[in-house]
Amino acid sequence: MPQEQGKLSRSLPGRALIRLDWVVGWIENIVLTGAILLMAGLNIANVLGDNLLKQGLPFAGEINQALLVIITFVGVAKAARHGRNIRMSAIYDQLKGPWRKGANIVITTGSAMVMFYLTYHAVVYEAQLRSIGQATPSLGIPLWILYLFVPAGLFLAGLQYALTTVRNFTSPELYRSFLEREVYEDADLNAAEGRKLEDEDGGIEPGMADNDSGKERH
């Protein structure tokens, strides 16, 4: 068991949060893997049918559109779970210690609120689609069924941001996601130590520079 999980699993709420994070991650992996494999198989079958049988799959376009929606919005939750979301970090990278942790908490809390707000509007949109009764032209599948993953993906992303906020509130370390620690501080420290060693060594020794120049002349 990783060290981060070992510390968190000592309490009952911590074990519950770990289990919740595992279940969410399992759902995301199953949905994304299935959607990508289905899209690949559908496109291959469509190309083969069009070239060999002169008849493609008429429903390939609308299913691909639905799969793109699924991959996009569930992928948002997946990125948030591993801290791989795009961040404007010009100011954030300059902060140290508690200031960086405070900024991280503000960012993840704000992101969670935005995701939950978008989830609400996605649910309202789903209700409107269901009331209209609009369906796909080829298969006749109701659009509200195909777009169920929009509010689901947004909700899962908000949940991941909320879990990250809880983790940073309850842990002395800085976490970019629920189970992944922030590594910028370590990278900055290593870079500073490297520059210090270079300054102490004084750069390239004169003898080495003369040898290198002699080799180039030969």
Side-chain angles (χ1 to χ4, degrees):
M1 177 180 294
Q3 184 179 3
E4 291 80 2
Q5 292 191 23
K7 293 179 180 179
L8 193 64
S9 61
R10 295 172 186 173
S11 62
L12 181 60
R15 289 194 296 270
L17 290 178
I18 291 176
R19 177 61 61 179
L20 176 61
D21 179 77
W22 182 87
V23 170
V24 171
W26 181 81
I27 294 173
E28 292 168 356
N29 290 335
I30 292 296
V31 171
L32 288 175
T33 302
I36 292 173
L37 291 177
L38 180 58
M39 178 180 290
L42 187 64
N43 287 328
I44 292 173
N46 188 39
V47 171
L48 291 177
D50 190 32
N51 287 276
L52 298 179
L53 304 176
K54 306 303 180 182
Q55 179 64 43
L57 301 177
F59 53 84
E62 59 191 43
I63 292 183
N64 278 331
Q65 182 180 358
L67 292 175
L68 283 175
V69 172
I70 293 173
I71 293 172
T72 299
F73 287 92
V74 178
V76 170
K78 182 73 172 178
R81 183 172 186 267
H82 293 281
R84 298 295 190 269
N85 50 296
I86 299 175
R87 296 183 292 182
M88 303 300 179
S89 57
I91 298 177
Y92 178 81
D93 288 344
Q94 307 303 317
L95 302 176
K96 304 294 181 182
W99 290 101
R100 176 175 285 186
K101 189 169 187 177
N104 185 289
I105 291 174
V106 171
I107 292 171
T108 54
T109 303
S111 299
M113 295 174 63
V114 171
M115 291 297 106
F116 290 140
Y117 178 74
L118 293 177
T119 301
Y120 166 74
H121 282 282
V123 170
V124 173
Y125 178 70
E126 283 286 307
Q128 293 176 351
L129 281 180
R130 187 171 184 178
S131 63
I132 294 173
Q134 188 175 359
T136 59
S138 297
L139 297 178
I141 301 176
L143 287 181
W144 69 270
I145 295 179
L146 297 180
Y147 293 153
L148 277 176
F149 284 94
V150 174
L154 292 172
F155 176 78
L156 290 177
L159 182 61
Q160 291 295 340
Y161 285 122
L163 287 174
T164 304
T165 300
V166 172
R167 188 60 189 270
N168 281 310
F169 267 121
T170 58
S171 175
E173 294 87 4
L174 176 60
Y175 284 82
R176 66 181 179 184
S177 64
F178 183 65
L179 292 179
E180 295 187 15
R181 292 182 58 184
E182 180 66 83
V183 297
Y184 286 135
E185 291 183 346
D186 296 335
D188 294 342
L189 180 59
N190 293 333
E193 290 179 351
R195 289 192 297 268
K196 183 178 179 181
L197 290 176
E198 291 179 358
D199 295 337
E200 291 177 353
D201 293 339
I204 302 176
E205 296 181 359
M208 295 178 63
D210 294 339
N211 292 334
D212 293 339
S213 60
K215 291 179 181 179
E216 293 178 357
R217 286 195 296 270
H218 291 297

